[in-house]
Amino acid sequence: MSARSTGVGVPARAGVQERSWPESLTEVPYWVFQAEDVYRAEQERIFHGPTWNYLCLEAELAEPGDFCATFIGEQPVLVTRDHDGQIYAFENRCAHRGSLIAMEHYGHTRDFTCVYHAWTYNLQGDLTGVAFEEGINGKGGMPPEFCKAAHSPRRLRLASVHGLVFGSLDNDVPHIEEYLGQEILDRIERVLGGRKPVVLGRFTQSLPNNWKLYMENVKDSYHASILHLFFTTFGLNKLSQKGGIIVSEDGGHHVSWSAIDREAEAGEHYKDQKIRSESEYQLQDPSLVDGFSEVGDDITLQILSVSPGFVLQQIQNSVAVRQVLPTGVDSTDLHWTYLGFEDDTEEQQLIRLKQSNLVGPAGYVSMEDGAIGGFVQRGIAGAGQEFATVQMGGDQAVSSESRVTEASIRGFWKVYREAMGFAVGAGRGVHA
């Protein structure tokens, strides 16, 4: 280890090698995207730790018996609505031999029966039946002391925020209101409050990169009108527009927003810096970018993230939730759920359907986001001892009236390294 390295304070139980991390939030070591032991420790410390993880929408569990099979990190979980009207969540893992209890992503059922040995669970996750529990003809079967109540999948702690269902595997997680903070709660309410979502469609996108690279991208407001040619070509999002960044008090959550600025001058900053914002292309159907005021204000873009892996978007009238799920050191699943609302008119629903083409795996805007993480993962392949720099807008993780900042990325890393127990030092040490 380098003489300037301070190492990191990670307990042996997590199996993480000693590594250094500069004290400043403006440098991010590339090994954090590459190391298998770090990835494994994230499952324990972050996803199984005191965090709230998005699971599904209440609207996807509309009737008793509806269920959703989802994940917290790599851990499969089931979310159900029982006949008492309440929502429950528990591990999607049979208490017998560990098989998945439910195979389908969404469905409706009276109860769950494991396909392996037909152990049965009710909608609250209680073990209610064991096939051949008493054996056959007085032979075999479970021992007399076997207690079904002691063999049920682990239940999750649940919270709901304006129809979004969050779960935690840690009983010590703070209350959801404390975890999010008022500014983030207000911005969720702005999009979802008082409205009943309707699912318009779903996609699952496989990304060839570490999950944290996608979360960095989500929190990076400064790239949007540079990377995404569609944004600037058709005037949907420019950094010269009115907008700002909200970073939660702890740094972990953020909101980036922009609004119609009726006094702003059109895009001269992009011409001066030779950024790709001019194009001769036109839309065959210009109505794609026509919309309506979403909630009675001029905000046309709001990207909100909740650590560790949730995104709520409003891009024009394309409203969606995204769930970011790690599947390996250099692979991530990104689940998109496109939303309308029960009180939308037919015209508004049509606008939402058209604008759904902006996002998703091949979206006019987000197609580049699906590729850029892979470009970074490939670019840093031989640079495990090097560091990224996130100095735009200073060195703090605070809210800003400017979107030309990486403050929310710094906030992500502040919370991340605290959760992982990484010690920090002033030097650029070399990892072990």
Side-chain angles (χ1 to χ4, degrees):
M1 182 176 289
S2 164
R4 292 184 295 170
S5 171
T6 60
V8 294
V10 180
R13 67 182 175 87
V16 179
Q17 300 176 25
E18 287 192 6
R19 291 182 174 86
S20 66
W21 195 307
E23 183 174 5
S24 171
L25 292 172
T26 62
E27 291 186 306
V28 181
Y30 286 135
W31 52 255
V32 79
F33 305 111
Q34 300 171 321
E36 180 68 33
D37 60 316
V38 170
Y39 176 78
R40 295 260 60 92
E42 288 169 354
Q43 299 300 313
E44 176 186 345
R45 298 229 172 163
I46 294 176
F47 296 101
H48 284 236
T51 59
W52 284 107
N53 297 264
Y54 172 74
L55 300 177
C56 64
L57 298 161
E58 285 188 21
E60 294 174 297
L61 306 172
E63 301 295 332
D66 289 350
F67 71 88
C68 169
T70 184
F71 294 85
I72 290 183
E74 291 187 343
Q75 171 67 53
V77 298
L78 273 172
V79 194
T80 68
R81 189 181 294 276
D82 199 2
H83 292 278
D84 62 0
Q86 299 300 306
I87 294 174
Y88 297 86
F90 47 92
E91 291 179 329
N92 187 5
R93 176 180 57 80
C94 182
H96 180 211
R97 300 275 288 280
S99 174
L100 291 172
I101 297 171
M103 305 292 184
E104 297 176 346
H105 292 302
Y106 297 92
H108 183 88
T109 187
R110 293 180 58 186
D111 53 28
F112 299 98
T113 299
C114 176
V115 68
Y116 199 178
H117 297 97
W119 284 33
T120 302
Y121 302 86
N122 65 18
L123 293 168
Q124 297 186 24
D126 301 315
L127 176 62
T128 57
V130 173
F132 304 118
E133 181 178 359
E134 297 180 0
I136 297 176
N137 297 325
K139 297 180 181 179
M142 301 299 285
E145 65 271 17
F146 177 75
C147 175
K148 287 194 284 290
H151 291 81
S152 296
R154 178 168 50 154
R155 289 183 174 85
L156 279 64
R157 187 171 170 185
L158 291 178
S160 184
V161 179
H162 296 296
L164 304 171
V165 180
F166 291 86
S168 181
L169 291 161
D170 191 320
N171 285 328
D172 293 328
V173 66
H175 290 294
I176 191 73
E177 293 80 9
E178 177 186 352
Y179 185 81
L180 295 175
Q182 192 59 50
E183 287 185 302
I184 303 299
L185 285 167
D186 288 346
R187 287 296 180 140
I188 294 175
E189 182 179 19
R190 177 190 164 272
V191 177
L192 299 177
R195 301 201 284 178
K196 185 175 180 180
V198 175
V199 175
L200 299 181
R202 298 185 180 93
F203 285 101
T204 295
Q205 181 176 4
S206 296
L207 305 176
N209 53 265
N210 188 275
W211 69 276
K212 299 183 293 298
L213 285 171
Y214 187 79
M215 288 306 295
E216 271 198 332
N217 178 270
V218 165
K219 293 170 178 286
D220 180 0
S221 57
Y222 144 63
H223 85 276
S225 61
I226 302 172
L227 177 64
H228 304 308
L229 179 60
F230 193 95
F231 263 155
T232 47
T233 298
F234 299 107
L236 299 186
N237 182 26
K238 294 186 177 183
L239 290 170
S240 52
Q241 288 178 308
K242 182 169 57 177
I245 295 289
I246 298 169
V247 181
S248 64
E249 186 174 348
D250 69 350
H253 324 303
H254 103 292
V255 178
S256 172
W257 65 276
S258 64
I260 298 169
D261 194 339
R262 305 183 190 280
E263 301 176 0
E265 305 219 358
E268 69 280 358
H269 303 287
Y270 291 84
K271 295 178 186 178
D272 294 344
Q273 299 191 49
K274 299 180 180 179
I275 291 173
R276 54 186 199 127
S277 61
E278 298 301 313
S279 173
E280 297 179 0
Y281 290 107
Q282 294 182 349
L283 291 169
Q284 185 172 352
D285 179 7
S287 70
L288 177 71
V289 295
D290 293 338
F292 56 93
S293 179
E294 188 64 47
V295 291
D297 58 25
D298 284 338
I299 293 177
T300 55
L301 183 145
Q302 177 179 294
I303 305 295
L304 179 151
S305 71
V306 173
S307 183
F310 171 74
V311 183
L312 170 64
Q313 71 159 55
Q314 176 221 329
I315 301 175
Q316 297 290 97
N317 299 115
S318 173
V319 178
V321 294
R322 311 178 206 166
Q323 183 186 30
V324 182
L325 294 173
T327 57
V329 172
D330 57 1
S331 62
T332 301
D333 276 354
L334 176 60
H335 297 307
W336 297 80
T337 304
Y338 300 95
L339 302 180
F341 296 94
E342 199 172 58
D343 58 357
D344 284 347
T345 65
E346 287 187 16
E347 181 183 8
Q348 288 173 331
Q349 187 178 77
L350 179 60
I351 290 171
R352 294 196 196 281
L353 289 171
K354 282 186 177 181
Q355 293 185 1
S356 68
N357 289 290
L358 296 173
V359 295
Y364 298 140
V365 173
S366 61
M367 177 170 55
E368 296 94 341
D369 289 333
I372 197 67
F375 296 164
V376 175
Q377 195 79 46
R378 289 157 58 189
I380 66 175
Q385 298 182 21
E386 301 299 327
F387 297 77
T389 180
V390 284
Q391 299 183 59
M392 187 62 70
D395 60 2
Q396 300 299 306
V398 294
S399 300
S400 168
E401 293 182 0
S402 170
R403 289 176 294 141
V404 191
T405 179
E406 292 166 317
S408 51
I409 298 176
R410 291 189 287 270
F412 174 78
W413 291 115
K414 175 185 175 183
V415 167
Y416 174 86
R417 70 187 191 184
E418 288 173 357
M420 292 291 287
F422 289 130
V424 296
R428 271 170 153 257
V430 179
H431 79 279

